[in-house]
Amino acid sequence: MSLQARAEQGLLAALAKDRKSAATVRVVGRGKIEVPSKEKLNRWRKQNEKIKQFRAAEEDKDIVAALNHQPIEPEMRHKEFPKLAQKRIEKRTKHDATVKQFENTLAEISDKLEASVLEASRSVQTGIGGVDKRIADIFAELNQDLWLVTKDHHYVLDQWVKINEECSKRSLEMVKFGGRLEDIERSRAAMVSGE
């Protein structure tokens, strides 16, 4: 048998044997694909985005490096471009005017809100002060022992009813104050959203 025939016979015999895979990737199951976790996928995506950004930056560097071979004329390097200078001045002026207008509007809104809050505070102080004065007068009358000796039990009960009524009025003043503060907040939100 010739050398070529023996080689062919050896090849056929090797093909008939069971093969052992030399692959480094291990298959988890027959026909199954293992899905990576979300964290792993997110990490891969971030790495890919970083690579894309790096490549884009490298491309920009290549473009700039290509411009290096196109020298700028010396008189053009420090030339002032009047249209660009004018645009820069206009932009700065417009920005300063906008900032000034914003500050003025903010001060205006703050002043209006401060006046509204002060008015509501003074109103509640006046309302509560009147109620507290009437409650103090009732207690002053009840604290006089000589006066109470001459009065009957129904009189004392009537005074406590008056005190409860005055406390209810005081609570009502606080509720009205809370309502006014809510109205002030709504008006503030409307003013700010309109600006």
Side-chain angles (χ1 to χ4, degrees), residues 113-153:
L113 291 175
E114 184 180 1
S116 299
V117 170
L118 284 175
E119 181 184 340
S121 298
R122 288 185 182 124
S123 173
V124 77
Q125 281 178 339
T126 304
I128 289 178
V131 171
D132 287 346
K133 172 82 168 89
R134 289 190 292 274
I135 291 173
D137 290 345
I138 293 170
F139 272 111
E141 191 174 311
L142 289 175
N143 285 334
Q144 294 178 6
D145 292 336
L146 295 176
W147 180 263
L148 282 179
V149 171
T150 61
K151 301 294 181 185
D152 60 354
H153 182 68

Side-chain angles (χ1 to χ4, degrees), residues 79-141:
K79 183 177 179 183
E80 180 69 29
F81 296 99
K83 287 184 180 177
L84 290 177
Q86 181 63 31
K87 288 267 189 200
R88 192 174 346 115
I89 291 170
E90 288 172 3
K91 187 177 178 182
R92 186 180 308 133
T93 305
K94 185 177 178 182
H95 176 266
D96 292 345
T98 304
V99 168
K100 185 70 172 170
Q101 180 185 2
F102 173 77
E103 289 172 350
N104 289 340
T105 304
L106 185 63
E108 223 174 90
I109 290 172
S110 296
D111 291 344
K112 285 179 186 176
L113 291 175
E114 184 180 1
S116 299
V117 170
L118 284 175
E119 181 184 340
S121 298
R122 288 185 182 124
S123 173
V124 77
Q125 281 178 339
T126 304
I128 289 178
V131 171
D132 287 346
K133 172 82 168 89
R134 289 190 292 274
I135 291 173
D137 290 345
I138 293 170
F139 272 111
E141 191 174 311

Side-chain angles (χ1 to χ4, degrees), residues 6 14 26 40 46 52 90 107-108 111 146 149 160 168:
R6 274 192 287 165
R26 190 169 167 232
K40 201 175 222 180
K46 287 178 184 175
K52 284 181 182 178
E90 288 172 3
E108 223 174 90
D111 291 344
L146 295 176
V149 171
W160 279 111
S168 297

Side-chain angles (χ1 to χ4, degrees), residues 13-183:
L15 288 175
K17 290 182 183 177
D18 287 338
R19 292 187 209 158
K20 184 176 180 183
S21 175
T24 57
V25 177
R26 190 169 167 232
V27 177
V28 175
R30 187 167 277 249
K32 292 184 181 176
I33 298 174
E34 190 175 327
V35 179
S37 65
K38 277 188 174 182
E39 294 83 23
K40 201 175 222 180
L41 289 173
N42 285 336
R43 192 171 61 244
W44 289 347
R45 189 182 75 234
K46 287 178 184 175
Q47 287 173 349
N48 191 23
E49 288 172 358
K50 285 180 183 177
I51 290 170
K52 284 181 182 178
Q53 288 174 353
F54 177 75
R55 286 184 182 158
E58 287 297 316
E59 287 174 7
D60 290 344
K61 287 179 185 176
D62 291 342
I63 292 169
V64 172
L67 290 175
N68 187 31
H69 300 294
Q70 301 171 2
I72 299 174
E73 297 175 15
E75 63 271 1
M76 292 293 288
R77 284 187 184 159
H78 302 291
K79 183 177 179 183
E80 180 69 29
F81 296 99
K83 287 184 180 177
L84 290 177
Q86 181 63 31
K87 288 267 189 200
R88 192 174 346 115
I89 291 170
E90 288 172 3
K91 187 177 178 182
R92 186 180 308 133
T93 305
K94 185 177 178 182
H95 176 266
D96 292 345
T98 304
V99 168
K100 185 70 172 170
Q101 180 185 2
F102 173 77
E103 289 172 350
N104 289 340
T105 304
L106 185 63
E108 223 174 90
I109 290 172
S110 296
D111 291 344
K112 285 179 186 176
L113 291 175
E114 184 180 1
S116 299
V117 170
L118 284 175
E119 181 184 340
S121 298
R122 288 185 182 124
S123 173
V124 77
Q125 281 178 339
T126 304
I128 289 178
V131 171
D132 287 346
K133 172 82 168 89
R134 289 190 292 274
I135 291 173
D137 290 345
I138 293 170
F139 272 111
E141 191 174 311
L142 289 175
N143 285 334
Q144 294 178 6
D145 292 336
L146 295 176
W147 180 263
L148 282 179
V149 171
T150 61
K151 301 294 181 185
D152 60 354
H153 182 68
H154 290 292
Y155 171 78
V156 174
L157 292 178
D158 290 339
Q159 294 296 44
W160 279 111
V161 168
K162 286 182 184 177
I163 289 172
N164 282 334
E165 288 173 358
E166 293 299 326
C167 288
S168 297
K169 289 178 186 175
R170 190 176 200 282
S171 297
L172 185 62
E173 285 291 329
M174 293 305 294
V175 169
K176 285 196 296 188
F177 177 66
R180 285 188 75 179
L181 289 181
E182 287 295 323
D183 291 342

